[in-house]
């Protein structure tokens, strides 16, 4: 039997996981999925995710690649679905081109942040939306979001103080949509630094709450210091919602 | 201070509760809310819900009435919100007319059943929707739903074999809506017998899966025997979504 590159799309409720990345003594999404794939293929399987979501962050679409012996796709997918826990879902599974790598081949990612802007709680979505009682000024937040878009050095929006590689990223767009009392902030970029999505949201929220001026965004970029940006917004509101690739015809 | 009748609207995630009704040694929604209201009013408070949801059934809108001393509404509501657990939400609180009773005054209730009709799991809604992999014939289910509507003796759709009161009820309408891979069945009636909403859904699902003929509905009504109807559908898919009253101007 030959070996193949597989492309697996997962969704997960990150509530009870210590994030994506495999860790020695903690439950992580990568660790759990690798254990199950290793069982199915009866050999150790290592997987690459498109990105490492933080502890408590969710994914509607996490793309994963791995190499393994060629087995029938339908059979592997149904085994996966029967073995995965209820909070990790296998959305689909495909053979990918030989050079495909879920992280290195990705050209664009979208994270969506969910806010329930109301004094009245939403019990059903309580693990996926952050409740903010004070009314947010959405128009101000939209103006601020425009200042964040484009190509910048986002080092001030990164929690890793020892980050050595280029911290220049391009935010393609930030969409803020309101529906009833729910607010969603979708951020599309060529890549995100450690905690960047949550610090972007934390900064926008401070503006929406009137605690920060829009002009402070220029100062954050100029300072390159983490302390000048907003707080890191809570993990549970964040969800990886889309990953794009140059050639996606195989998906 | 005088005494008032209060009308409280709750929503709850029923997953970890043994249903609505107070029980001596089990966590129930009524028991939990009564304990908190008793703390706020510093005296024992007993509440009446519009209906008793089963263990594991949810509510977007459960209407509750109780009598207590007159305290400022806003203060009571904010105390309630700070004391209730995350899976019970206080939507609103009002003073009600003297004769108002959440169950006895109710004229119409709507239960909604949520189905995810797909092989691909929905991890985020897994506690609120029942996944059915096999494709449902929705058109057949809609035809069957029409036969269930109207005024009938629903005793065959009741799990309580010793029910002595009238089991005649009027189903005003059953709406079955599809959106992506989700199916919702909304049932509006003047009242529901024990397990009736879940047995109605179980019967419709058997028809949608091709396991039962539409004509069997006439036989169920004629037999008046529980065994002739469909299985009781799982609790987690069911949600009490609306309760109506003749005079709702105070709400």
């Amino acid at each position: 039997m030959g070996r193949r590159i597989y492309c697996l799309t997962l969704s997960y409720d990150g509530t009870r996981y210590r994030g994506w990345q495999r860790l020695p003594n903690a439950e992580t999404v990568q660790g759990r999925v690798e254990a199950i794939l290793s069982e199915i293929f009866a050999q150790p399987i290592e997987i690459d995710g498109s990105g490492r979501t933080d502890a408590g962050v969710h994914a509607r679409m996490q793309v994963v690649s791995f190499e393994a012996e060629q087995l029938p796709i339908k059979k592997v997918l149904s085994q996966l679905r029967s073995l995965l826990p209820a909070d990790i879902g296998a959305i689909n599974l495909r053979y990918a081109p030989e050079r495909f790598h879920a992280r290195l081949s990705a050209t664009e990612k979208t994270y969506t942040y969910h806010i329930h802007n109301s004094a009245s709680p939403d019990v059903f979505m309580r693990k996926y939306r952050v409740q903010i009682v004070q009314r947010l000024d959405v128009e101000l937040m939209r103006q601020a979001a425009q200042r964040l878009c484009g190509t910048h050095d986002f080092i001030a929006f990164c929690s890793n103080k020892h980050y050595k590689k280029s911290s220049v990223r391009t935010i393609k767009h930030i969409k803020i949509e309101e529906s009833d009392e729910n607010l969603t902030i979708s951020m599309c970029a060529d890549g995100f630094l450690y905690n960047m999505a949550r610090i972007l949201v934390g900064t926008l929220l401070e503006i929406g709450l009137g605690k920060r001026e829009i002009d402070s965004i220029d100062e954050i970029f100029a300072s390159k210091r983490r302390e000048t940006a907003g707080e890191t917004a809570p993990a549970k509101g964040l969800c990886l919602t889309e990953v794009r690739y140059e050639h996606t015809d195989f998906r």
Side-chain angles (χ1 to χ4, degrees), chain A:
Chain A
M1 297 280 266
R3 293 184 72 78
R4 294 296 297 259
I5 305 295
Y6 289 82
C7 174
L8 168 66
T9 305
L10 296 175
S11 69
Y12 48 83
D13 172 344
T15 308
R16 70 183 184 95
Y17 295 94
R18 281 275 300 278
W20 169 259
Q21 196 178 6
R22 186 197 316 131
L23 289 170
N25 293 307
E27 180 81 322
T28 70
V29 182
Q30 183 184 22
R32 179 53 84 99
V33 175
E34 285 183 340
I36 290 167
L37 285 171
S38 302
E39 196 181 325
I40 294 172
F41 287 95
Q43 58 180 273
I45 303 288
E46 292 201 354
I47 65 179
D48 291 294
S50 70
R52 297 167 184 169
T53 53
D54 297 344
V57 171
H58 316 290
R60 274 204 180 276
M61 179 184 174
Q62 166 72 291
V63 179
V64 167
S65 58
F66 62 93
E67 189 186 337
E69 85 175 279
Q70 183 170 335
L71 288 182
I73 287 284
K74 279 198 175 179
K75 197 182 151 196
V76 176
L77 183 57
S78 85
Q79 284 184 288
L80 256 176
R81 284 178 173 162
S82 71
L83 293 169
L84 283 169
D87 52 9
I88 304 180
I91 303 304
N92 67 43
L93 181 68
R94 300 274 189 281
Y95 293 130
E98 269 310 301
R99 293 173 169 282
F100 179 77
H101 186 287
R103 179 168 51 83
L104 301 176
S105 310
T107 54
E108 194 180 291
K109 271 180 224 169
T110 302
Y111 277 95
T112 305
Y113 201 89
H114 298 274
I115 293 156
H116 182 59
N117 192 19
S118 168
S120 177
D122 180 346
V123 298
F124 300 106
M125 298 302 282
R126 69 190 186 277
K127 292 177 179 173
Y128 316 123
R129 283 189 193 136
V130 169
Q131 183 178 12
I132 295 181
V133 171
Q134 195 188 323
R135 192 83 203 134
L136 290 163
D137 187 329
V138 178
E139 216 25 74
L140 269 185
M141 291 171 69
R142 287 199 176 108
Q143 291 172 32
Q146 286 317 303
R147 302 256 196 127
L148 292 165
C149 289
T151 303
H152 304 279
D153 182 346
F154 282 94
I155 192 68
F157 294 89
C158 173
S159 290
N160 181 353
K161 294 196 175 189
H162 309 288
Y163 193 74
K164 295 293 177 207
K165 290 186 261 182
S166 166
S167 46
V168 174
R169 296 288 184 278
T170 301
I171 297 185
K172 300 184 183 182
H173 56 78
I174 299 180
K175 281 185 195 150
I176 305 183
E177 289 173 303
E178 278 179 290
S179 164
D180 297 326
E181 295 174 313
N182 297 314
L183 201 71
T184 61
I185 305 176
S186 296
M187 298 160 281
C188 173
D190 58 355
F192 289 83
L193 305 169
Y194 181 56
N195 276 355
M196 176 172 150
R198 289 165 59 191
I199 300 170
L200 289 169
V201 171
T203 305
L204 289 174
L205 288 177
E206 288 174 10
I207 288 167
L209 292 169
K211 294 181 183 171
R212 171 187 286 276
E213 300 289 321
I214 288 183
D215 286 339
S216 75
I217 290 175
D218 304 328
E219 294 159 21
I220 300 169
F221 282 133
S223 78
K224 298 186 194 293
R225 286 168 48 231
R226 168 69 189 89
E227 309 81 69
T228 60
E231 288 196 24
T232 307
K236 74 170 185 179
L238 190 63
C239 187
L240 174 58
T241 45
E242 198 176 357
V243 190
R244 291 202 171 205
Y245 296 90
E246 206 165 341
H247 304 290
T248 52
D249 40 325
F250 72 91
R251 293 197 60 249

